[in-house]
Amino acid sequence: MEQKRHGVGLTGFASMPAVSPAAPSDRDLEALKRIRDLLAGKRIALLTGAGLSTDSGIPDYRGPGSLPRSPMTYQEFVRDAASRQRYWARNHVGWSHLRHADPNPGHRAAAEMERRGLLSGVITQNVDRLHEDAGSFNVVDLHGRYDQVVCLDCGRTYSRHLLAAVLEELNPGFLEQATQSGLVEMAPDADATVEDRALISSFVVAVCPACGGTLKPDFVYFGENVPKDRVERSYAIVDDAGAMLVAGSSLTVMSGLRFVRHAAKDGKPVVIINRGETRGDDRATIKLDAGVSESLTWLAAELPPL
């Protein structure tokens, strides 16, 4: 019996029901066979995005049917105390309403491909840590991780669960009042829409217990640069591969698109599996508009050993 790695992934992130992926359709199956033949005999750099985690119940920002969202930018967060107060108040409510997200078959397929030596590594734009929970080891969490917070002044990191307890102590009764005022919707980053402005303005924001500095979720905000070491590790994964596979990313932001461009420039085949168009479609050797979990599961079973 396979032993599950417990406690690596993110507890408290999913807001939608998990679903079991369907088997590939006949049309998708023909495309998957072409992808298998193209990738066979090559180590693969796997880049994953939000489309992989939707089957685990985690909503995405840009997938088909997603509502328009305006997430807070890094510049807004660091320069405006009122914006930070609003963010942490809404996030505190959102965190309390979320549940544990488990890896889905797509995450497990990626881990199996790595175990068999088919992957040079995984670059993920997701912050949910579900690749690690599924058993993948060589993973670059390109945009950071949602299960911890970082102090912008001293650089110390803390558990997001610990922060939840601190915020509850600083704001007794806040969650009950916020829920009664009306929880409208949840965003992928646990930002809950709370309309009571007076309630939000009463929220007490926690500071770093070591230096009193500003705490921020330890993931990359819009307008913030990906740390250089993560970028370098990701390029190394692409350089060590003979092909690139993108699974569940629209490649809207340059943080992921640059690796596709890098692989294509080096003459490596690029396969993109995603529902909807991506910014990398013009670089793709094969593009498949299909579900990610079922596609990765099929490929993990069908790709021959190196």
Side-chain angles (χ1 to χ4, degrees):
M1 180 178 178
E2 182 181 359
Q3 185 176 6
K4 180 180 177 181
R5 291 176 57 186
H6 178 69
V8 180
L10 173 64
T11 300
F13 196 78
S15 62
M16 304 186 305
V19 299
S20 297
S25 67
D26 291 341
R27 178 191 67 85
D28 294 345
L29 196 56
E30 288 304 312
L32 285 169
K33 289 177 180 177
R34 291 190 290 116
I35 292 172
R36 175 197 60 195
D37 295 342
L38 177 66
L39 298 179
K42 302 179 181 68
R43 293 189 82 204
I44 304 162
L46 177 62
L47 171 65
T48 66
L52 175 59
S53 291
T54 52
D55 284 349
S56 294
I58 299 175
D60 63 6
Y61 273 107
R62 302 184 181 90
S66 297
L67 295 173
R69 304 185 191 275
S70 300
M72 182 173 292
T73 66
Y74 177 76
Q75 291 75 17
E76 184 182 4
F77 185 89
V78 298
R79 73 169 177 246
D80 185 34
S83 294
R84 289 194 297 274
Q85 181 187 49
R86 183 176 71 253
Y87 176 86
W88 280 119
R90 290 160 55 119
N91 182 274
H92 184 49
V93 176
W95 181 270
S96 71
H97 279 74
L98 299 179
R99 63 168 178 77
H100 176 69
D102 292 313
N104 63 53
H107 296 106
R108 292 191 286 272
E112 172 64 14
M113 291 168 70
E114 182 183 19
R115 187 189 66 79
R116 293 177 55 208
L118 300 177
L119 301 184
S120 60
V122 178
I123 307 164
T124 185
Q125 295 173 298
N126 300 332
V127 298
D128 50 44
R129 301 282 287 172
L130 292 181
H131 277 296
E132 289 86 348
D133 223 10
S136 293
F137 286 92
N138 187 21
V139 182
V140 177
D141 294 301
L142 193 64
H143 291 166
R145 46 189 293 182
Y146 195 73
D147 60 344
Q148 65 184 27
V149 295
V150 61
C151 175
L152 296 180
D153 295 275
C154 70
R156 289 179 173 87
T157 58
Y158 302 95
S159 161
R160 180 62 183 82
H161 289 291
L162 173 63
L163 179 63
V166 172
L167 290 175
E168 180 65 18
E169 184 176 344
L170 291 173
N171 299 276
F174 181 87
L175 291 176
E176 292 78 5
Q177 295 178 60
T179 302
Q180 291 171 5
S181 72
L183 177 64
V184 180
E185 69 162 315
M186 302 289 299
D189 58 358
D191 182 25
T193 302
V194 180
E195 301 294 347
D196 191 332
R197 295 184 179 180
L199 183 62
I200 289 177
S201 66
S202 71
F203 189 80
V204 179
V205 178
V207 297
C208 174
C211 74
T214 300
L215 294 177
K216 170 188 167 294
D218 196 13
F219 56 79
V220 177
Y221 275 34
F222 288 89
E224 185 179 6
N225 293 325
V226 176
K228 184 178 179 181
D229 65 311
R230 295 181 205 163
V231 176
E232 291 175 347
R233 288 177 58 207
S234 298
Y235 274 124
I237 287 174
V238 177
D239 289 339
D240 195 34
M244 184 159 198
L245 172 59
V246 178
S249 174
S250 63
L251 300 172
T252 300
V253 293
M254 186 56 67
S255 63
L257 180 62
R258 58 182 148 191
F259 304 118
V260 171
R261 291 179 173 176
H262 183 72
K265 183 179 179 181
D266 286 349
K268 297 175 181 179
V270 174
V271 173
I272 298 177
I273 302 173
N274 186 67
R275 291 201 183 278
E277 296 181 355
T278 82
R279 282 183 69 194
D281 286 355
D282 60 338
R283 303 296 208 284
T285 311
I286 299 177
K287 163 66 187 304
L288 173 59
D289 192 321
V292 176
S293 294
E294 56 263 40
S295 299
L296 287 181
T297 300
W298 190 91
L299 288 171
E302 295 292 329
L303 279 171
L306 293 178

